[in-house]
Each structure stands twice: as C-alpha cells, then as structure tokens.
Amino acid sequence: MKTLVALALGAAFVAVPAAPAQALPDGLALTPPMGFNNWNATGCAIDEKLIKDTADIFVSRGLKDAGYEYVNIDDCWAAPQRDASGRLTHHPERFPSGIKAIADYVHSKGLKLGIYTSAGTQTCAKTMPGGLDHEQIDAQTFADWGVDYLKYDNCNNENRPALERYTKMRDALKKTGRPIVFSICEWGQNKPWEWGADIGHLWRTTGDINDTWPKVVELLKKNAPLAPYAKPGAWNDPDMLEVGNGGMTDTEYKSHFSLWAMMAAPLLIGADLRKISPASLDILRNKEVIALDQDRLGVQARVLSQADGKWVFVKPLANGDKAVALFNENATATTIGTSAAALGLPRRPGYVARDLWQHKDFQTAGELSAVVPPHGTVVYRVSTAKWWQAEPLVSAGLQLTTSTPGIPANITPAGRPFEVTVTATNHAVVPVIDPRVRLTAPPGWQVEALNQPREWVLRTGESISGRWRVTPAATGTPELTGGVDFGGASVLQRAELIVPPEIPRGSLVLGDVRSAWESGGYGPVERDMSNGGWQPRDGKPLTINGRTYAKGMGAHAPTEIVYYVGGNCSAVTSIVGIDDDRDDARQTGTASFQIWADGTKVADSGVRTWRDDPISITGQIAGATYLRLVVTDGGDTNSYDRGDWAEPILTC
Ligand code: GLA
C-alpha cells in the first residue's frame, strides 16, 4: 500500500528523490500527532499548573475524545544547569514537582507527555542546556521520567551538520527502549523532508509560526509543495496551531485548521485552553476535519489548482472518498470550484459533497463550487454515496463592488453607497424550483433593489443574480446577509463590513487615531511601543539607532494601516526606521516605509536597514479618501523587520 501511494504521487510531482527515506519501523505516529504545546500561547511563561490544567481540559472539554493526546512542554522547563550527575533537571519554580510527577499525572488521564530541548549547546531561549553531546544521558532521563514525545530544536548548534546531530538523538532515543515520538525542529534549513523519515516522525518545514494571517499563508505556501514526502510515520510539520490566540478572525482560524488537516500536519493546539473562546474550541473539536488529518491512508493534500489566490487542495482518503478544500487567499469573497472528475472520482450521475464546517450533505452532478468568504476555506468530503437523498448543492454569495485599489472591499464608510451582487448557482442533479435571491442589511441602512430577477426553475449549472445599492449608516452591526431561498431551504452568506470611524480635524498623532483596518506581519501593530515579534506588547519603547520616541506605532513588515480620511486631510509626516529591538546575533532588519493616498504612492523612504538613522518622510494626501501606511520587507525576507512610525502626524 505504501509503495503504491509513493508511486502514484511520484507520477504527479517531479520533486520526489530517487530513493525516498523510509519511515522508522517503530509504528509510532502512523497518523500525524495531535495534542498541545504551550509555546505559542506562553513562550517561557510556563508552569506545571498549565500542563496539568491542559490535561484536565483535554478530558473535560472533549479534546481527548476528539483525538488530542500529547500534552507537550516547550522551552524553559529545565533548571539552567545540569545536576551533579550531568542530568537535566526541572526548573525549581516552574515545575516544583518534577517532570516525572507531571508525566504520571498526564498518564493517569490516559494522555501522553512531550518535552523539548535543542540539538545545540543551549535551547533557543537560552534558559537551559541543550542536548548536543549529551544525547544519551538526556534521552535516558526523558525515558526514565516517562516522556512520550521529544521536540528537538536547532538553536546554538555550533554549525555542526544537522543530519549527524539529529541521527545521534534518534539512536539515543531508540537505545532507551521507550517508544518516543521524535519531532525534528530544524526549520526546514537542510531539506529535512529528504532525510527526516529515517530519523524522526515529523520535521518542521518552516521557521516559526505566529498568530497572524500573513504568516499562516507563508507557511502554507512553503509546506504545500512538500506533499510527496509525507507518509504514515513521517510527516511535514508547518508548525503548531495558533487557533484561539486572538490574532486572527474565526474565518481565518477555520482556514488555518482546515488547511493543516488537509496537509496531514501535526495538530498541536497552541492556545491556552483555560482562556480559549467557545468558537475557537469548536474549531479545534471539528471531528470531521480532524478525520481528514488522521485518515490512515496518510496522504498529504496536493494542490490541484491555484490561480489569483484561489486554491483547490485534494486529499485522497482511505475509504475512497476525496477531501477537497476551496481556499480563498484574497481579501474579497470569490467563487472557487473544481469537479468530481478533476478529483479523480469515478464517473457517476451524482455525488455527495459533505460540507465539513456546516456538517451537512449536498448532492452535486459533479461541480464542486462555493462562494468562499475572504480568507475562508470550504471543505467538502466527496463520495459516491446515495446522492439522491441529499439536498441540492447550491453555491450562493455576495460580491461587493466598492474597491479603491489597495483598500479592502469591505471597508464601507457611512453615507457612501456601493453595489452588491448576489449570485446563486445550482450544482445538483435535480432542478431548484422558484429560487429567490435576497439581501439584508442592518436596520437604518438604505437598500435599493437595482435588479431582482424572477426564475421558476434553475437547472443543473444555471445561475441567477440580483443587484442592490446599499448605503451604510454609522449604526447597527455592519454586516450583510445575502443568498438564495428555494423550496424551504436557504443558502446564505454573511459579509462582515467595516464602517470606519470619522477622523477628527486638526493636527493628529496617528496611533492615537483609530484606524479603519490594519494587519501586522508579526503580531499586532503596537501603539507607543516597538513591535515585540513573538513577545507582543513587551513594552519596549520605539527606538531607532538609540533615539527613543514616546508616540507612534511599532509595525513588523509586511504591514499596512488604513485610515478613512474622507478627503478631509492634507498631509502625513513621520519619522521612520528599523527598531533597535532585535537579537544582536541577527541584525538583519530591512524595510521600506510608504505613504499611499488611495491608489497612489505619495512617499517612500526607500530601503532602511537596522544600521540606518531615523529619517522623516512626508506624503501629500489632499483629496484622498483613504490613507495607507505600508511597510514592506525591503526585498529580503521579513526577518527582524520591526518598523517604527515614530511621531506620525496627520494634518486634517
Ligand atoms: C524555536 C522553535 C519554536 C520554539 C522556540 C523555543 O524558535 O522553532 O517552535 O520551540 O524555539 O525557544
């Protein structure tokens, strides 16, 4: 079976090496590991209560039941020095009971414990010794404590070859005789997908994730092409989940979770479950999506098509079904589709497409299409089951036509009319009778029908569209609902809008003024502080080459901040530069700062590096409806690109 899978995939991709590494023969991680790791939520602020509470919540909130098993401790759990016998020992304040006691506790709940160290002299946070040249004693210590999973990081590795370092730990773990899942965390630097299967059960393919949408997309794009390398016991790891940490919308978290499951990625919850919202918890407990990840065929989804930010992923499943994900990378709703034939399903008069977020079966004659919200993902499990019992698959959704170039289409200032088109298409074998498209807006908003067609029957493949003019008011929850009603059923979509605040007149310090919309490249845009990277809101002042500023914004590239200025403002002036808040060992920050008036760039700092002194830039924005502050990554990666808008003044 395994060989067949490898061959079938080999035909579709040229990237498969001549002799692919075999998975370890220990029978571990035959499906991607599922569990928890504290790093994304807490960094080094960890203690044994968090680990025990997490184990309790796994049981009490149905996560164990959903398949989550490993409760993993990341960096900073150990004392800074080895003990007299050269062993690692627990941090006295964070884990006063010792790791063995925690392992016993976790095991008593029917769960497993994971731990962390680095294939270097120290771990990444430099708070504890690493495992380099201590492989056997550390592996034995972990085994003695009852550890079931080891994440082995890559920091402080003295430039010694990765293959050698990770092989040594593999052998040391094996020698203990305890089954321990071995997670290679080498960030994809030495193509671990080519050798990782021989060494461990999963390997990181990328740098660290963070709780922002651009990062999720970046990691997705790096991990997706590596599909041919994944198989039972050997998985690509695009890093842990951010679902529930608060930096993304529910739609984005659903995409993150769906795409990680499609890619047969490890599902390690990275949020503090004691604080998580019910909506995020529901995402993590979606058993139908988890079933894709855990499917025993163990094939990572491949990209079937990808153009203009519209992605189609397909994942074959053990029972012959195909999972398909329609992912919309764009900031506006868009129709994405494929067909049963393209997925490789046998010819039939009809199919069942089960929507794994709606938990509902639909019948289709073969087209699989949906209006996918911005940053959203629709996931279908497609089968040749009894399609005639399911209700028709009708795709419907609303399209806004408001756009100023570069401005998200869902920003809709009060009093400014825009048009909405609602379209519905029947994909089912049976016709849809008396379809009526409709649109609803919040109370107090003006809605005028421009075109409301009447059709009696929509046959397979036919569409119907209506058009409305909407004028938003500053009141009500800014949200439109549009779609189609037919024969007692409805297919509706909501579009969340942003009605931006009015900008007051005068000389204003941006940062104190509410933006219409913003996105940070690494953590949120911070006010009167530098961007903290993986430690958001760490309180460090905006500082450019030693000069500090009390007011402004810390914004990690790539980032943008949009203000609705409504033609009322004339100019923006700001001091800009790369912040000093960076690791001395990695002085790599470079970025350009740009000011945009609607679709026109009116000021550009050029590339600034971490060495450069602050400079002042000014953009004339008279007449512009929107002001946009943009920081790009300066042409290299966005590593340490912590941009500062210091003392930014807007004149209105
Ligand atoms: C590295 C890893 C992260 C995390 C930290 C801990 O950055 O890639 O996942 O373990 O170290 O310091």
Side-chain angles (χ1 to χ4, degrees), residues 39 74-75 116 124-125 151 153 185 187 204 208 240:
W39 182 256
D74 210 277
D75 206 344
Y116 163 99
C124 292
K151 171 176 172 181
D153 213 336
C185 178
W187 319 315
R204 281 274 295 276
D208 287 6
M240 305 168 291

XYZ file of all heavy atoms in Angstrom, residues 39 74-75 116 124-125 151 153 185 187 204 208 240, ligand 1:
129
model
N 4.076 26.773 23.641
C 4.940 27.877 23.203
C 4.190 29.069 22.630
O 4.432 30.224 23.005
C 5.982 27.371 22.205
C 6.914 28.467 21.779
C 6.920 29.137 20.609
C 7.958 29.051 22.579
N 7.901 30.096 20.603
C 8.552 30.074 21.800
C 8.441 28.819 23.876
C 9.612 30.845 22.281
C 9.489 29.598 24.351
C 10.056 30.595 23.560
N 7.231 23.058 26.035
C 8.268 23.624 25.165
C 9.430 24.142 26.003
O 9.643 23.708 27.145
C 7.651 24.699 24.242
C 8.365 24.807 22.903
O 9.404 25.495 22.844
O 7.895 24.196 21.923
N 10.170 25.069 25.452
C 11.398 25.599 26.051
C 11.157 26.108 27.486
O 10.045 26.462 27.848
C 11.887 26.762 25.163
C 13.386 26.990 25.262
O 14.000 26.483 26.207
O 13.920 27.688 24.382
N 10.875 19.074 25.403
C 11.601 19.862 24.406
C 13.050 20.023 24.816
O 13.358 20.234 25.994
C 10.945 21.249 24.332
C 11.774 22.325 23.672
C 11.550 22.667 22.336
C 12.776 23.000 24.365
C 12.310 23.662 21.718
C 13.538 23.988 23.760
C 13.302 24.312 22.437
O 14.052 25.295 21.828
N 16.718 27.455 22.467
C 16.582 28.724 21.747
C 16.425 29.906 22.694
O 16.960 30.978 22.451
C 15.407 28.647 20.770
S 15.724 27.492 19.422
N 15.690 29.721 23.764
C 15.505 30.820 24.706
C 16.729 30.974 25.608
O 16.774 31.871 26.455
C 14.247 30.603 25.531
N 10.462 17.115 21.162
C 10.700 18.131 20.123
C 12.154 18.557 20.261
O 12.577 19.028 21.319
C 9.754 19.314 20.333
C 10.049 20.519 19.447
C 9.000 21.605 19.674
C 9.338 22.902 18.963
N 8.311 23.939 19.215
N 14.996 20.925 18.922
C 15.153 22.200 18.213
C 16.569 22.339 17.639
O 17.393 21.427 17.778
C 14.813 23.336 19.190
C 14.166 24.532 18.519
O 14.357 24.723 17.313
O 13.478 25.305 19.227
N 12.988 19.598 14.774
C 12.611 21.012 14.644
C 13.808 21.773 14.096
O 14.519 22.441 14.824
C 12.168 21.541 16.009
S 11.734 23.277 15.999
N 13.591 23.615 11.225
C 13.043 24.766 10.491
C 13.181 24.630 8.975
O 13.151 25.636 8.246
C 13.674 26.082 10.951
C 13.872 26.217 12.416
C 12.971 25.910 13.396
C 15.044 26.693 13.095
N 13.501 26.162 14.631
C 14.781 26.648 14.471
C 16.290 27.154 12.664
C 15.711 27.035 15.434
C 17.216 27.549 13.626
C 16.919 27.487 14.981
N 9.886 19.877 11.068
C 9.461 21.224 10.719
C 9.961 21.553 9.317
O 11.102 21.252 8.980
C 10.008 22.213 11.746
C 9.216 22.251 13.050
C 8.039 23.209 12.952
N 8.570 24.559 12.778
C 8.967 25.327 13.792
N 8.849 24.923 15.040
N 9.442 26.530 13.561
N 9.300 29.737 12.440
C 8.204 29.721 13.416
C 6.930 30.368 12.883
O 6.966 31.395 12.207
C 8.618 30.475 14.686
C 9.621 29.679 15.498
O 10.068 28.608 15.023
O 9.960 30.136 16.604
N 3.012 24.634 14.822
C 1.843 24.383 15.670
C 0.702 25.341 15.353
O 0.882 26.345 14.691
C 2.264 24.534 17.127
C 3.449 23.630 17.452
S 4.246 23.965 19.012
C 5.032 25.529 18.778
C 12.341 27.810 18.255
C 11.277 26.830 17.791
C 9.955 27.202 18.415
C 10.066 27.197 19.927
C 11.196 28.104 20.381
C 11.521 27.938 21.852
O 12.095 29.094 17.770
O 11.203 26.789 16.397
O 8.938 26.335 17.992
O 10.283 25.882 20.383
O 12.400 27.845 19.673
O 12.566 28.759 22.282
